[in-house]
Amino acid sequence: MIKPIPVVLDVDTGIDDALAILYALYSPRLEVLGITTCFGNGDIQTTTRNTLAIVELSGITVPVYKGAADPLVGAWSPQAEAFHGRNGLGEALVPEPRLRPQDQGASQYLIDVINARPGEVTLVTVARLTNLAIALKSDPHLASKIRQVVVMGGAAFVGGNVTPVSEANIWGDPDAAWVVFHSGVPLTMVGLDVTMQANISDQQVRGLDASRPYSTVVQTALEFYLRAYNPEAPFGQRRAPLHDPLAVAVAEDATLCTTEMWPVDIEREGTITRGMTVVDQRGWITASPNAAVCRTVDAPRFLSEFCLRLGFPFSPE
Ligand code: RIB
Ligand code: CA
């Protein structure tokens, strides 16, 4: 029997976050210790409520810890409604959850759970890095006790998705990302380089197993997500990226992606490059490599497992 990998998920639920939560909770290889929430795809009330609702729909019990409402500098403002809807779940009617967040806040939970199991816990962050940055700043010894952080974020060798060069999770709190990328913690960066290769299709969304407890919410949310990513394309030709589930999958099975070690820095102030993950390809900055950057993904292998686990039909293309 293989020992499960203890993980904490940090989310801003969010349509693809909802799928990442389900993928992690139903994993045979991960032990989800807790879920922390952050602002991002909605305000913190919305992302926390959505997280609790999805956990409740999953039928699996896991504690949820409410986190940051704003980035380290400045204030949150809506940016993701076009892709995630005003309620963060594509306007799907989400039952009001009976579950409540824990009394403890997200950053303190991260400090406690990591210190309780030094060297064991993997963090999978699929949101702004604010909660982790606050934890790292509060406990200077924390970074050395984290097994690894798998970050859905950044765009190493491809363009961005909120600006020409910046990806949403880094752009949404570049100061927090800077803290994490400079902390010395072992990092795997699951950026747009690979997540844009892992897409779900109309046919898969339409074929979701109706007996799953989350099927109505997830199907409605994904129809919104497919429309948002493909405003011009007709039904049958639409595809949308599974950013956050891929990060969970990489935490579960690192062989899904090829990686290269690179020095990655975060642009915090640029007028048109704020939030960029800057890869020092020619060694101009003397920093040593700080991140395993995912370069390629075995998308069919990921998708077949994703579909099987969550109840979507899959046929190889
Ligand atoms: O850029 C993709 C990321 O931004 C995903 O985590 C998505 O949920 C949004 O937060
Ligand atoms: Ca997310």
Side-chain angles (χ1 to χ4, degrees):
M1 168 101 177
I2 303 170
K3 221 173 140 213
I5 303 165
V7 299
V8 174
L9 292 186
D10 188 81
V11 299
D12 61 331
T13 315
I15 295 170
D16 58 331
D17 303 74
L19 299 171
I21 292 169
L22 295 169
Y23 193 70
L25 291 178
Y26 295 142
S27 169
R29 297 199 48 206
L30 301 179
E31 177 195 4
V32 182
L33 304 174
I35 301 180
T36 53
T37 65
C38 190
F39 70 92
N41 288 324
D43 63 25
I44 187 63
Q45 276 70 31
T46 303
T47 59
T48 303
R49 174 185 176 273
N50 289 348
T51 303
L52 292 164
I54 295 297
V55 168
E56 194 161 297
L57 283 171
S58 79
I60 292 178
T61 307
V62 64
V64 173
Y65 301 82
K66 187 173 172 184
D70 291 300
L72 295 186
V73 178
W76 173 80
S77 62
Q79 162 268 326
E81 286 184 1
F83 288 91
H84 295 269
R86 282 186 308 279
N87 74 348
L89 288 173
E91 318 311 352
L93 292 175
V94 184
E96 192 57 35
R98 278 166 291 140
L99 290 176
R100 287 286 162 259
Q102 304 293 307
D103 292 336
Q104 192 178 37
S107 297
Q108 189 58 48
Y109 168 67
L110 291 177
I111 292 170
D112 289 354
V113 73
I114 292 160
N115 276 299
R117 301 176 70 159
E120 287 184 34
V121 178
T122 293
L123 302 185
V124 186
T125 65
V126 298
R128 280 62 170 159
L129 288 157
T130 319
N131 292 328
L132 177 55
I134 293 170
L136 289 167
K137 280 156 76 89
S138 313
D139 180 346
H141 303 294
L142 199 66
S144 63
K145 298 179 196 158
I146 301 173
R147 184 174 186 83
Q148 70 159 332
V149 182
V150 179
V151 175
M152 190 287 121
F157 301 100
V158 298
N161 62 358
V162 282
T163 78
V165 294
S166 305
E167 181 280 331
N169 287 340
I170 306 296
W171 173 88
D173 192 346
D175 299 284
W178 190 93
V179 170
V180 172
F181 276 72
H182 284 260
S183 69
V185 72
L187 281 176
T188 298
M189 183 175 140
V190 185
L192 299 180
D193 308 67
V194 285
T195 65
M196 293 302 291
Q197 315 298 319
N199 290 284
I200 194 161
S201 70
D202 275 320
Q203 291 81 357
Q204 283 158 343
V205 172
R206 185 58 62 92
L208 174 60
D209 178 354
S211 71
R212 301 288 177 125
Y214 50 81
S215 66
T216 306
V217 168
V218 163
Q219 205 168 40
T220 309
L222 277 172
E223 278 166 8
F224 183 100
Y225 195 62
L226 284 165
R227 278 198 304 277
Y229 267 94
N230 307 266
E232 308 289 335
F235 178 84
Q237 291 175 21
R238 302 180 304 180
R239 294 156 65 80
L242 297 168
H243 302 289
D244 295 351
L246 182 61
V248 173
V250 169
E252 185 181 272
D253 177 2
T255 69
L256 275 175
C257 287
T258 60
T259 59
E260 290 171 5
M261 290 302 299
W262 284 103
V264 180
D265 211 332
I266 308 295
E267 176 57 79
R268 291 174 289 173
E269 287 176 6
T271 52
I272 56 170
T273 55
R274 189 167 186 273
M276 181 178 182
T277 40
V278 179
V279 180
D280 186 8
Q281 297 184 55
R282 299 203 180 166
W284 280 326
I285 308 169
T286 49
S288 43
N290 59 346
V293 176
C294 291
R295 296 299 308 267
T296 66
V297 55
D298 186 343
R301 187 155 69 85
F302 161 64
L303 273 173
S304 68
E305 177 58 28
F306 175 84
C307 289
L308 179 71
R309 197 177 296 176
L310 264 59
F312 296 99
F314 176 78
S315 53
E317 287 177 357

